[in-house]
Amino acid sequence: MKTIAIDGPAAAGKGTLSRRIADVYGFHHLDTGLTYRATAKALLDRGLPLDDEAVAADVARNLDLAGLDRSVLSAHAIGEAASKIAVMPSVRRALVEAQRAFAVREPGTVLDGRDIGTVVCPDAPVKLYVTASAEVRAKRRYDEILAGGGVADYETILEDIRRRDERDMGRVDSPLKPADDAHLLDTSEMSIEAAFSAARSFIDAALKQ
Ligand code: C5P
C-alpha cells in the first residue's frame, strides 16, 4: 500500500503540503476533513440536529466522496459543526470505512486529517505530523482572509483555533496526536518550501524500500 498519511491541527499547512505531494507523486488525494464537513453540511442543509448520533451516522454512511468541494465546504460554521459531529464514534466508523477504501487506490494515495496515521491507515509507509504554534496558524489564517479581500479579527481566529484544537485533541475516539512512527514537521518557522522538501526526503526514503 503506497499511502502517505498526513495529520495535524487546523491551519498547520497540511492541505497545501498534501496537494503538492499528491501532485508530484501522481497520487490520489483525499482531504478527510471534507468528509466530516460534508456530513455536517448535509445535516445543516436538511435542518437536522447536530447532536443526534444515529441521524449523523446515517448521513455519513451515504456520503459520496466524489462530490466533495472545498470551496463550498470551507465556511467557518461548517468547520465548527464538523468538529462537533467528529466526536461521535459511529460517524467516525462510517467515514473511516470510506477513507480506507480510498486509501488503497493505485498507484498511491495521500490522505490528510487528524487520525490517518493512528487509526485510518496505521500501516501507511510514510506518516507526517504537520504542526505549528496556535499563534502562527492564526496569523496565517488571518493573512489568508485579508489577502482574499475579507475582514478578520486575529484574536477571534486564535480563540477559534484553540477551541478546535482542544476539541480535536481532547475527544475520546481517535484524538489528534502524532503516531509513534510519524515524522514531525513543525512549520512555525519553516517555509512551505522547506516543509515540502523535508517531506519529500522522508517519502523518497520510505517508498524506495
Ligand atoms: O481539517 P478540517 O478543518 O477541514 O476538519 C474539520 C473537522 O473535522 C476537524 O476540526 C476535526 O474535528 C474533524 N476531522 C477529524 N478527523 C479527520 C479530519 C477532520 O476528526 N481525519
Side-chain angles (χ1 to χ4, degrees), residues 7-11 14 31-37 70 73 78-80 82-84 86-87 92 99 112-116 120 141 164 167-168 171 174:
D7 291 301
K14 18 173 233 308
D31 171 350
T32 61
L34 294 185
T35 64
Y36 291 89
R37 285 172 180 266
R70 161 117 345 236
L73 297 170
I78 298 179
E80 276 291 300
S83 83
K84 286 182 188 150
V87 303
R92 302 201 69 86
Q99 293 160 11
D112 73 275
R114 304 288 191 288
D115 60 341
I116 310 303
V120 181
R141 261 284 141 86
R164 185 88 69 85
R167 208 179 280 146
D168 288 346
R171 68 177 172 231
S174 317

PDB file of all heavy atoms in Angstrom, residues 7-11 14 31-37 70 73 78-80 82-84 86-87 92 99 112-116 120 141 164 167-168 171 174, ligand 1:
ATOM      1  N   ASP A   7      -1.122  14.142   9.149  1.00  0.00           N
ATOM      2  CA  ASP A   7      -2.020  14.617  10.205  1.00  0.00           C
ATOM      3  C   ASP A   7      -1.513  15.925  10.785  1.00  0.00           C
ATOM      4  O   ASP A   7      -0.346  16.279  10.620  1.00  0.00           O
ATOM      5  CB  ASP A   7      -2.106  13.568  11.330  1.00  0.00           C
ATOM      6  CG  ASP A   7      -2.829  12.322  10.877  1.00  0.00           C
ATOM      7  OD1 ASP A   7      -4.012  12.443  10.472  1.00  0.00           O
ATOM      8  OD2 ASP A   7      -2.227  11.227  10.894  1.00  0.00           O
ATOM      9  N   GLY A   8      -2.407  16.587  11.501  1.00  0.00           N
ATOM     10  CA  GLY A   8      -2.010  17.805  12.196  1.00  0.00           C
ATOM     11  C   GLY A   8      -3.231  18.650  12.512  1.00  0.00           C
ATOM     12  O   GLY A   8      -4.330  18.367  12.024  1.00  0.00           O
ATOM     13  N   PRO A   9      -3.044  19.672  13.338  1.00  0.00           N
ATOM     14  CA  PRO A   9      -4.168  20.535  13.726  1.00  0.00           C
ATOM     15  C   PRO A   9      -4.608  21.464  12.594  1.00  0.00           C
ATOM     16  O   PRO A   9      -3.948  21.534  11.552  1.00  0.00           O
ATOM     17  CB  PRO A   9      -3.592  21.342  14.896  1.00  0.00           C
ATOM     18  CG  PRO A   9      -2.130  21.374  14.643  1.00  0.00           C
ATOM     19  CD  PRO A   9      -1.785  20.083  13.968  1.00  0.00           C
ATOM     20  N   ALA A  10      -5.722  22.164  12.824  1.00  0.00           N
ATOM     21  CA  ALA A  10      -6.271  23.085  11.822  1.00  0.00           C
ATOM     22  C   ALA A  10      -5.245  24.157  11.455  1.00  0.00           C
ATOM     23  O   ALA A  10      -4.519  24.653  12.323  1.00  0.00           O
ATOM     24  CB  ALA A  10      -7.532  23.749  12.394  1.00  0.00           C
ATOM     25  N   ALA A  11      -5.181  24.492  10.169  1.00  0.00           N
ATOM     26  CA  ALA A  11      -4.363  25.592   9.652  1.00  0.00           C
ATOM     27  C   ALA A  11      -2.855  25.429   9.856  1.00  0.00           C
ATOM     28  O   ALA A  11      -2.121  26.399   9.941  1.00  0.00           O
ATOM     29  CB  ALA A  11      -4.830  26.927  10.238  1.00  0.00           C
ATOM     30  N   LYS A  14      -1.168  21.506   6.317  1.00  0.00           N
ATOM     31  CA  LYS A  14      -1.203  20.152   5.761  1.00  0.00           C
ATOM     32  C   LYS A  14      -1.918  20.072   4.423  1.00  0.00           C
ATOM     33  O   LYS A  14      -1.562  19.264   3.585  1.00  0.00           O
ATOM     34  CB  LYS A  14      -1.793  19.075   6.673  1.00  0.00           C
ATOM     35  CG  LYS A  14      -2.598  19.433   7.799  1.00  0.00           C
ATOM     36  CD  LYS A  14      -3.214  18.214   8.452  1.00  0.00           C
ATOM     37  CE  LYS A  14      -4.716  18.375   8.593  1.00  0.00           C
ATOM     38  NZ  LYS A  14      -5.185  19.588   9.239  1.00  0.00           N
ATOM     39  N   ASP A  31      -8.713  14.872   1.266  1.00  0.00           N
ATOM     40  CA  ASP A  31      -8.713  15.717   2.461  1.00  0.00           C
ATOM     41  C   ASP A  31      -9.855  15.176   3.319  1.00  0.00           C
ATOM     42  O   ASP A  31     -11.030  15.432   3.045  1.00  0.00           O
ATOM     43  CB  ASP A  31      -8.965  17.161   2.017  1.00  0.00           C
ATOM     44  CG  ASP A  31      -9.195  18.105   3.179  1.00  0.00           C
ATOM     45  OD1 ASP A  31      -9.352  17.634   4.322  1.00  0.00           O
ATOM     46  OD2 ASP A  31      -9.231  19.321   2.937  1.00  0.00           O
ATOM     47  N   THR A  32      -9.527  14.395   4.349  1.00  0.00           N
ATOM     48  CA  THR A  32     -10.589  13.717   5.110  1.00  0.00           C
ATOM     49  C   THR A  32     -11.432  14.692   5.925  1.00  0.00           C
ATOM     50  O   THR A  32     -12.555  14.368   6.308  1.00  0.00           O
ATOM     51  CB  THR A  32     -10.021  12.625   6.039  1.00  0.00           C
ATOM     52  OG1 THR A  32      -9.131  13.240   6.981  1.00  0.00           O
ATOM     53  CG2 THR A  32      -9.299  11.545   5.261  1.00  0.00           C
ATOM     54  N   GLY A  33     -10.892  15.901   6.170  1.00  0.00           N
ATOM     55  CA  GLY A  33     -11.687  16.923   6.858  1.00  0.00           C
ATOM     56  C   GLY A  33     -12.965  17.217   6.077  1.00  0.00           C
ATOM     57  O   GLY A  33     -14.022  17.494   6.648  1.00  0.00           O
ATOM     58  N   LEU A  34     -12.843  17.111   4.732  1.00  0.00           N
ATOM     59  CA  LEU A  34     -14.019  17.393   3.896  1.00  0.00           C
ATOM     60  C   LEU A  34     -15.123  16.362   4.115  1.00  0.00           C
ATOM     61  O   LEU A  34     -16.305  16.670   3.948  1.00  0.00           O
ATOM     62  CB  LEU A  34     -13.634  17.426   2.411  1.00  0.00           C
ATOM     63  CG  LEU A  34     -12.701  18.557   1.967  1.00  0.00           C
ATOM     64  CD1 LEU A  34     -12.508  18.515   0.451  1.00  0.00           C
ATOM     65  CD2 LEU A  34     -13.235  19.919   2.396  1.00  0.00           C
ATOM     66  N   THR A  35     -14.764  15.141   4.492  1.00  0.00           N
ATOM     67  CA  THR A  35     -15.805  14.127   4.716  1.00  0.00           C
ATOM     68  C   THR A  35     -16.623  14.496   5.965  1.00  0.00           C
ATOM     69  O   THR A  35     -17.837  14.317   5.995  1.00  0.00           O
ATOM     70  CB  THR A  35     -15.216  12.694   4.831  1.00  0.00           C
ATOM     71  OG1 THR A  35     -14.373  12.604   5.987  1.00  0.00           O
ATOM     72  CG2 THR A  35     -14.427  12.303   3.598  1.00  0.00           C
ATOM     73  N   TYR A  36     -15.925  15.020   6.997  1.00  0.00           N
ATOM     74  CA  TYR A  36     -16.641  15.458   8.206  1.00  0.00           C
ATOM     75  C   TYR A  36     -17.446  16.726   7.905  1.00  0.00           C
ATOM     76  O   TYR A  36     -18.576  16.896   8.364  1.00  0.00           O
ATOM     77  CB  TYR A  36     -15.649  15.682   9.362  1.00  0.00           C
ATOM     78  CG  TYR A  36     -15.074  14.370   9.841  1.00  0.00           C
ATOM     79  CD1 TYR A  36     -13.914  13.845   9.269  1.00  0.00           C
ATOM     80  CD2 TYR A  36     -15.733  13.615  10.808  1.00  0.00           C
ATOM     81  CE1 TYR A  36     -13.411  12.611   9.666  1.00  0.00           C
ATOM     82  CE2 TYR A  36     -15.240  12.377  11.213  1.00  0.00           C
ATOM     83  CZ  TYR A  36     -14.084  11.886  10.630  1.00  0.00           C
ATOM     84  OH  TYR A  36     -13.608  10.652  11.019  1.00  0.00           O
ATOM     85  N   ARG A  37     -16.831  17.619   7.115  1.00  0.00           N
ATOM     86  CA  ARG A  37     -17.534  18.854   6.758  1.00  0.00           C
ATOM     87  C   ARG A  37     -18.778  18.570   5.916  1.00  0.00           C
ATOM     88  O   ARG A  37     -19.833  19.171   6.123  1.00  0.00           O
ATOM     89  CB  ARG A  37     -16.590  19.790   5.978  1.00  0.00           C
ATOM     90  CG  ARG A  37     -15.558  20.469   6.860  1.00  0.00           C
ATOM     91  CD  ARG A  37     -14.533  21.231   6.032  1.00  0.00           C
ATOM     92  NE  ARG A  37     -13.552  21.865   6.887  1.00  0.00           N
ATOM     93  CZ  ARG A  37     -13.626  23.119   7.329  1.00  0.00           C
ATOM     94  NH1 ARG A  37     -14.608  23.906   6.931  1.00  0.00           N
ATOM     95  NH2 ARG A  37     -12.709  23.617   8.129  1.00  0.00           N
ATOM     96  N   ARG A  70     -14.103  21.714  -1.670  1.00  0.00           N
ATOM     97  CA  ARG A  70     -13.576  22.559  -0.587  1.00  0.00           C
ATOM     98  C   ARG A  70     -14.170  23.971  -0.615  1.00  0.00           C
ATOM     99  O   ARG A  70     -14.456  24.546   0.425  1.00  0.00           O
ATOM    100  CB  ARG A  70     -12.039  22.564  -0.621  1.00  0.00           C
ATOM    101  CG  ARG A  70     -11.416  23.684   0.097  1.00  0.00           C
ATOM    102  CD  ARG A  70     -10.502  23.499   1.325  1.00  0.00           C
ATOM    103  NE  ARG A  70     -10.357  22.331   2.104  1.00  0.00           N
ATOM    104  CZ  ARG A  70     -10.558  22.296   3.434  1.00  0.00           C
ATOM    105  NH1 ARG A  70     -10.961  23.345   4.098  1.00  0.00           N
ATOM    106  NH2 ARG A  70     -10.342  21.194   4.089  1.00  0.00           N
ATOM    107  N   LEU A  73     -17.339  23.862   1.109  1.00  0.00           N
ATOM    108  CA  LEU A  73     -17.315  23.331   2.479  1.00  0.00           C
ATOM    109  C   LEU A  73     -16.404  24.088   3.441  1.00  0.00           C
ATOM    110  O   LEU A  73     -16.326  23.757   4.619  1.00  0.00           O
ATOM    111  CB  LEU A  73     -16.879  21.854   2.440  1.00  0.00           C
ATOM    112  CG  LEU A  73     -17.826  20.923   1.678  1.00  0.00           C
ATOM    113  CD1 LEU A  73     -17.191  19.545   1.471  1.00  0.00           C
ATOM    114  CD2 LEU A  73     -19.154  20.777   2.433  1.00  0.00           C
ATOM    115  N   ILE A  78     -19.307  25.581   9.030  1.00  0.00           N
ATOM    116  CA  ILE A  78     -19.286  24.154   8.669  1.00  0.00           C
ATOM    117  C   ILE A  78     -18.134  23.448   9.394  1.00  0.00           C
ATOM    118  O   ILE A  78     -18.289  22.325   9.884  1.00  0.00           O
ATOM    119  CB  ILE A  78     -19.197  23.969   7.134  1.00  0.00           C
ATOM    120  CG1 ILE A  78     -20.433  24.592   6.471  1.00  0.00           C
ATOM    121  CG2 ILE A  78     -19.064  22.496   6.765  1.00  0.00           C
ATOM    122  CD1 ILE A  78     -20.446  24.496   4.962  1.00  0.00           C
ATOM    123  N   GLY A  79     -16.999  24.137   9.523  1.00  0.00           N
ATOM    124  CA  GLY A  79     -15.862  23.563  10.256  1.00  0.00           C
ATOM    125  C   GLY A  79     -16.214  23.323  11.715  1.00  0.00           C
ATOM    126  O   GLY A  79     -15.877  22.276  12.295  1.00  0.00           O
ATOM    127  N   GLU A  80     -16.896  24.271  12.310  1.00  0.00           N
ATOM    128  CA  GLU A  80     -17.322  24.144  13.711  1.00  0.00           C
ATOM    129  C   GLU A  80     -18.268  22.952  13.873  1.00  0.00           C
ATOM    130  O   GLU A  80     -18.125  22.144  14.777  1.00  0.00           O
ATOM    131  CB  GLU A  80     -18.064  25.419  14.140  1.00  0.00           C
ATOM    132  CG  GLU A  80     -17.154  26.526  14.597  1.00  0.00           C
ATOM    133  CD  GLU A  80     -16.492  26.181  15.927  1.00  0.00           C
ATOM    134  OE1 GLU A  80     -17.201  25.967  16.917  1.00  0.00           O
ATOM    135  OE2 GLU A  80     -15.253  26.121  15.957  1.00  0.00           O
ATOM    136  N   ALA A  82     -18.548  20.444  11.894  1.00  0.00           N
ATOM    137  CA  ALA A  82     -17.821  19.204  11.600  1.00  0.00           C
ATOM    138  C   ALA A  82     -17.094  18.708  12.841  1.00  0.00           C
ATOM    139  O   ALA A  82     -17.113  17.510  13.154  1.00  0.00           O
ATOM    140  CB  ALA A  82     -16.817  19.437  10.468  1.00  0.00           C
ATOM    141  N   SER A  83     -16.478  19.626  13.592  1.00  0.00           N
ATOM    142  CA  SER A  83     -15.717  19.143  14.746  1.00  0.00           C
ATOM    143  C   SER A  83     -16.645  18.656  15.854  1.00  0.00           C
ATOM    144  O   SER A  83     -16.242  17.887  16.715  1.00  0.00           O
ATOM    145  CB  SER A  83     -14.693  20.183  15.219  1.00  0.00           C
ATOM    146  OG  SER A  83     -15.265  21.139  16.051  1.00  0.00           O
ATOM    147  N   LYS A  84     -17.918  19.070  15.809  1.00  0.00           N
ATOM    148  CA  LYS A  84     -18.886  18.549  16.795  1.00  0.00           C
ATOM    149  C   LYS A  84     -19.305  17.123  16.452  1.00  0.00           C
ATOM    150  O   LYS A  84     -19.346  16.250  17.319  1.00  0.00           O
ATOM    151  CB  LYS A  84     -20.113  19.451  16.869  1.00  0.00           C
ATOM    152  CG  LYS A  84     -19.809  20.735  17.600  1.00  0.00           C
ATOM    153  CD  LYS A  84     -21.014  21.621  17.722  1.00  0.00           C
ATOM    154  CE  LYS A  84     -20.581  22.972  18.279  1.00  0.00           C
ATOM    155  NZ  LYS A  84     -21.413  24.061  17.806  1.00  0.00           N
ATOM    156  N   ALA A  86     -17.634  15.106  14.691  1.00  0.00           N
ATOM    157  CA  ALA A  86     -16.440  14.253  14.621  1.00  0.00           C
ATOM    158  C   ALA A  86     -16.135  13.556  15.948  1.00  0.00           C
ATOM    159  O   ALA A  86     -15.292  12.675  16.001  1.00  0.00           O
ATOM    160  CB  ALA A  86     -15.227  15.070  14.174  1.00  0.00           C
ATOM    161  N   VAL A  87     -16.843  13.932  17.025  1.00  0.00           N
ATOM    162  CA  VAL A  87     -16.619  13.236  18.300  1.00  0.00           C
ATOM    163  C   VAL A  87     -17.472  11.961  18.379  1.00  0.00           C
ATOM    164  O   VAL A  87     -17.313  11.169  19.296  1.00  0.00           O
ATOM    165  CB  VAL A  87     -16.938  14.136  19.536  1.00  0.00           C
ATOM    166  CG1 VAL A  87     -16.116  15.419  19.505  1.00  0.00           C
ATOM    167  CG2 VAL A  87     -18.418  14.442  19.631  1.00  0.00           C
ATOM    168  N   ARG A  92     -17.616   8.445  12.917  1.00  0.00           N
ATOM    169  CA  ARG A  92     -16.218   8.176  12.559  1.00  0.00           C
ATOM    170  C   ARG A  92     -16.095   6.814  11.875  1.00  0.00           C
ATOM    171  O   ARG A  92     -15.401   6.678  10.877  1.00  0.00           O
ATOM    172  CB  ARG A  92     -15.296   8.217  13.786  1.00  0.00           C
ATOM    173  CG  ARG A  92     -15.319   9.537  14.535  1.00  0.00           C
ATOM    174  CD  ARG A  92     -14.079   9.726  15.384  1.00  0.00           C
ATOM    175  NE  ARG A  92     -12.898   9.915  14.577  1.00  0.00           N
ATOM    176  CZ  ARG A  92     -12.497  11.082  14.092  1.00  0.00           C
ATOM    177  NH1 ARG A  92     -13.153  12.181  14.338  1.00  0.00           N
ATOM    178  NH2 ARG A  92     -11.429  11.151  13.337  1.00  0.00           N
ATOM    179  N   GLN A  99     -12.841   6.184   3.896  1.00  0.00           N
ATOM    180  CA  GLN A  99     -11.459   6.676   3.736  1.00  0.00           C
ATOM    181  C   GLN A  99     -10.494   5.519   3.474  1.00  0.00           C
ATOM    182  O   GLN A  99      -9.577   5.634   2.660  1.00  0.00           O
ATOM    183  CB  GLN A  99     -11.031   7.448   4.996  1.00  0.00           C
ATOM    184  CG  GLN A  99     -11.812   8.755   5.181  1.00  0.00           C
ATOM    185  CD  GLN A  99     -11.776   9.277   6.608  1.00  0.00           C
ATOM    186  OE1 GLN A  99     -11.013   8.795   7.447  1.00  0.00           O
ATOM    187  NE2 GLN A  99     -12.602  10.269   6.902  1.00  0.00           N
ATOM    188  N   ASP A 112      -5.047  13.307   4.199  1.00  0.00           N
ATOM    189  CA  ASP A 112      -4.696  14.199   5.304  1.00  0.00           C
ATOM    190  C   ASP A 112      -5.881  14.397   6.233  1.00  0.00           C
ATOM    191  O   ASP A 112      -7.038  14.328   5.817  1.00  0.00           O
ATOM    192  CB  ASP A 112      -4.095  15.520   4.802  1.00  0.00           C
ATOM    193  CG  ASP A 112      -5.094  16.461   4.179  1.00  0.00           C
ATOM    194  OD1 ASP A 112      -5.384  16.321   2.990  1.00  0.00           O
ATOM    195  OD2 ASP A 112      -5.585  17.359   4.898  1.00  0.00           O
ATOM    196  N   GLY A 113      -5.565  14.567   7.522  1.00  0.00           N
ATOM    197  CA  GLY A 113      -6.631  14.705   8.515  1.00  0.00           C
ATOM    198  C   GLY A 113      -6.076  14.797   9.922  1.00  0.00           C
ATOM    199  O   GLY A 113      -5.088  15.489  10.174  1.00  0.00           O
ATOM    200  N   ARG A 114      -6.746  14.086  10.842  1.00  0.00           N
ATOM    201  CA  ARG A 114      -6.342  14.146  12.253  1.00  0.00           C
ATOM    202  C   ARG A 114      -5.903  12.782  12.788  1.00  0.00           C
ATOM    203  O   ARG A 114      -5.169  12.692  13.749  1.00  0.00           O
ATOM    204  CB  ARG A 114      -7.525  14.608  13.117  1.00  0.00           C
ATOM    205  CG  ARG A 114      -8.143  15.931  12.724  1.00  0.00           C
ATOM    206  CD  ARG A 114      -7.203  17.065  13.090  1.00  0.00           C
ATOM    207  NE  ARG A 114      -7.844  18.379  12.978  1.00  0.00           N
ATOM    208  CZ  ARG A 114      -8.162  18.979  11.846  1.00  0.00           C
ATOM    209  NH1 ARG A 114      -7.906  18.395  10.697  1.00  0.00           N
ATOM    210  NH2 ARG A 114      -8.709  20.179  11.854  1.00  0.00           N
ATOM    211  N   ASP A 115      -6.418  11.706  12.148  1.00  0.00           N
ATOM    212  CA  ASP A 115      -6.214  10.359  12.696  1.00  0.00           C
ATOM    213  C   ASP A 115      -5.770   9.377  11.620  1.00  0.00           C
ATOM    214  O   ASP A 115      -6.008   8.185  11.727  1.00  0.00           O
ATOM    215  CB  ASP A 115      -7.535   9.858  13.306  1.00  0.00           C
ATOM    216  CG  ASP A 115      -8.656   9.797  12.261  1.00  0.00           C
ATOM    217  OD1 ASP A 115      -8.525  10.454  11.204  1.00  0.00           O
ATOM    218  OD2 ASP A 115      -9.641   9.083  12.478  1.00  0.00           O
ATOM    219  N   ILE A 116      -5.150   9.875  10.557  1.00  0.00           N
ATOM    220  CA  ILE A 116      -4.801   8.984   9.439  1.00  0.00           C
ATOM    221  C   ILE A 116      -3.698   8.002   9.857  1.00  0.00           C
ATOM    222  O   ILE A 116      -3.829   6.791   9.674  1.00  0.00           O
ATOM    223  CB  ILE A 116      -4.371   9.786   8.179  1.00  0.00           C
ATOM    224  CG1 ILE A 116      -5.394  10.879   7.846  1.00  0.00           C
ATOM    225  CG2 ILE A 116      -4.171   8.840   6.996  1.00  0.00           C
ATOM    226  CD1 ILE A 116      -6.797  10.396   7.627  1.00  0.00           C
ATOM    227  N   VAL A 120      -6.840   5.467  10.719  1.00  0.00           N
ATOM    228  CA  VAL A 120      -7.345   5.122   9.373  1.00  0.00           C
ATOM    229  C   VAL A 120      -6.349   4.217   8.646  1.00  0.00           C
ATOM    230  O   VAL A 120      -6.728   3.167   8.130  1.00  0.00           O
ATOM    231  CB  VAL A 120      -7.636   6.407   8.547  1.00  0.00           C
ATOM    232  CG1 VAL A 120      -8.174   6.053   7.159  1.00  0.00           C
ATOM    233  CG2 VAL A 120      -8.623   7.307   9.280  1.00  0.00           C
ATOM    234  N   ARG A 141      -4.076  32.144   8.877  1.00  0.00           N
ATOM    235  CA  ARG A 141      -5.498  32.215   8.530  1.00  0.00           C
ATOM    236  C   ARG A 141      -5.920  33.665   8.305  1.00  0.00           C
ATOM    237  O   ARG A 141      -6.603  33.997   7.337  1.00  0.00           O
ATOM    238  CB  ARG A 141      -6.350  31.681   9.676  1.00  0.00           C
ATOM    239  CG  ARG A 141      -6.862  30.285   9.590  1.00  0.00           C
ATOM    240  CD  ARG A 141      -8.041  30.071   8.653  1.00  0.00           C
ATOM    241  NE  ARG A 141      -7.858  28.798   7.950  1.00  0.00           N
ATOM    242  CZ  ARG A 141      -8.247  27.626   8.436  1.00  0.00           C
ATOM    243  NH1 ARG A 141      -8.879  27.544   9.564  1.00  0.00           N
ATOM    244  NH2 ARG A 141      -8.025  26.528   7.745  1.00  0.00           N
ATOM    245  N   ARG A 164     -10.840  24.609  18.644  1.00  0.00           N
ATOM    246  CA  ARG A 164     -10.852  23.453  17.740  1.00  0.00           C
ATOM    247  C   ARG A 164      -9.776  22.443  18.151  1.00  0.00           C
ATOM    248  O   ARG A 164     -10.004  21.235  18.163  1.00  0.00           O
ATOM    249  CB  ARG A 164     -10.626  23.940  16.305  1.00  0.00           C
ATOM    250  CG  ARG A 164     -10.743  22.870  15.247  1.00  0.00           C
ATOM    251  CD  ARG A 164     -12.158  22.702  14.762  1.00  0.00           C
ATOM    252  NE  ARG A 164     -12.571  23.858  13.994  1.00  0.00           N
ATOM    253  CZ  ARG A 164     -12.320  24.008  12.695  1.00  0.00           C
ATOM    254  NH1 ARG A 164     -11.684  23.066  12.045  1.00  0.00           N
ATOM    255  NH2 ARG A 164     -12.713  25.068  12.055  1.00  0.00           N
ATOM    256  N   ARG A 167     -10.943  20.503  21.180  1.00  0.00           N
ATOM    257  CA  ARG A 167     -11.958  19.503  20.848  1.00  0.00           C
ATOM    258  C   ARG A 167     -11.313  18.316  20.124  1.00  0.00           C
ATOM    259  O   ARG A 167     -11.605  17.160  20.407  1.00  0.00           O
ATOM    260  CB  ARG A 167     -13.033  20.151  19.976  1.00  0.00           C
ATOM    261  CG  ARG A 167     -14.379  19.499  20.115  1.00  0.00           C
ATOM    262  CD  ARG A 167     -15.414  20.200  19.254  1.00  0.00           C
ATOM    263  NE  ARG A 167     -15.951  21.407  19.814  1.00  0.00           N
ATOM    264  CZ  ARG A 167     -16.318  22.485  19.106  1.00  0.00           C
ATOM    265  NH1 ARG A 167     -16.194  22.492  17.796  1.00  0.00           N
ATOM    266  NH2 ARG A 167     -16.815  23.541  19.680  1.00  0.00           N
ATOM    267  N   ASP A 168     -10.414  18.602  19.163  1.00  0.00           N
ATOM    268  CA  ASP A 168      -9.798  17.529  18.366  1.00  0.00           C
ATOM    269  C   ASP A 168      -8.826  16.687  19.194  1.00  0.00           C
ATOM    270  O   ASP A 168      -8.723  15.475  19.006  1.00  0.00           O
ATOM    271  CB  ASP A 168      -9.072  18.120  17.149  1.00  0.00           C
ATOM    272  CG  ASP A 168     -10.043  18.641  16.096  1.00  0.00           C
ATOM    273  OD1 ASP A 168     -11.241  18.310  16.175  1.00  0.00           O
ATOM    274  OD2 ASP A 168      -9.606  19.387  15.191  1.00  0.00           O
ATOM    275  N   ARG A 171     -10.913  14.647  22.427  1.00  0.00           N
ATOM    276  CA  ARG A 171     -12.003  13.672  22.303  1.00  0.00           C
ATOM    277  C   ARG A 171     -11.500  12.262  22.613  1.00  0.00           C
ATOM    278  O   ARG A 171     -10.314  11.952  22.447  1.00  0.00           O
ATOM    279  CB  ARG A 171     -12.654  13.758  20.922  1.00  0.00           C
ATOM    280  CG  ARG A 171     -11.757  13.316  19.814  1.00  0.00           C
ATOM    281  CD  ARG A 171     -12.466  13.352  18.464  1.00  0.00           C
ATOM    282  NE  ARG A 171     -11.485  13.086  17.440  1.00  0.00           N
ATOM    283  CZ  ARG A 171     -11.283  13.826  16.364  1.00  0.00           C
ATOM    284  NH1 ARG A 171     -12.013  14.883  16.135  1.00  0.00           N
ATOM    285  NH2 ARG A 171     -10.348  13.497  15.495  1.00  0.00           N
ATOM    286  N   SER A 174     -10.351   8.512  18.737  1.00  0.00           N
ATOM    287  CA  SER A 174      -9.379   8.996  17.753  1.00  0.00           C
ATOM    288  C   SER A 174      -8.923  10.441  17.977  1.00  0.00           C
ATOM    289  O   SER A 174      -9.043  11.270  17.076  1.00  0.00           O
ATOM    290  CB  SER A 174      -9.955   8.877  16.335  1.00  0.00           C
ATOM    291  OG  SER A 174     -10.622   7.664  16.153  1.00  0.00           O
TER     292      SER A 174
HETATM  293  O1  C5P B   1      -9.333  19.769   8.557  1.00  0.00           O
HETATM  294  P1  C5P B   1     -10.684  20.423   8.643  1.00  0.00           P
HETATM  295  O2  C5P B   1     -10.679  21.733   9.367  1.00  0.00           O
HETATM  296  O3  C5P B   1     -11.375  20.506   7.337  1.00  0.00           O
HETATM  297  O4  C5P B   1     -11.549  19.402   9.542  1.00  0.00           O
HETATM  298  C1  C5P B   1     -12.790  19.771  10.083  1.00  0.00           C
HETATM  299  C2  C5P B   1     -13.025  18.974  11.373  1.00  0.00           C
HETATM  300  O5  C5P B   1     -13.205  17.599  11.042  1.00  0.00           O
HETATM  301  C3  C5P B   1     -11.837  18.984  12.338  1.00  0.00           C
HETATM  302  O6  C5P B   1     -11.863  20.048  13.271  1.00  0.00           O
HETATM  303  C4  C5P B   1     -11.965  17.652  13.046  1.00  0.00           C
HETATM  304  O7  C5P B   1     -12.812  17.755  14.155  1.00  0.00           O
HETATM  305  C5  C5P B   1     -12.648  16.766  12.038  1.00  0.00           C
HETATM  306  N1  C5P B   1     -11.717  15.805  11.442  1.00  0.00           N
HETATM  307  C6  C5P B   1     -11.483  14.631  12.131  1.00  0.00           C
HETATM  308  N2  C5P B   1     -10.715  13.651  11.589  1.00  0.00           N
HETATM  309  C7  C5P B   1     -10.134  13.826  10.395  1.00  0.00           C
HETATM  310  C8  C5P B   1     -10.321  15.038   9.689  1.00  0.00           C
HETATM  311  C9  C5P B   1     -11.117  16.016  10.246  1.00  0.00           C
HETATM  312  O8  C5P B   1     -11.992  14.460  13.243  1.00  0.00           O
HETATM  313  N3  C5P B   1      -9.398  12.830   9.888  1.00  0.00           N
END
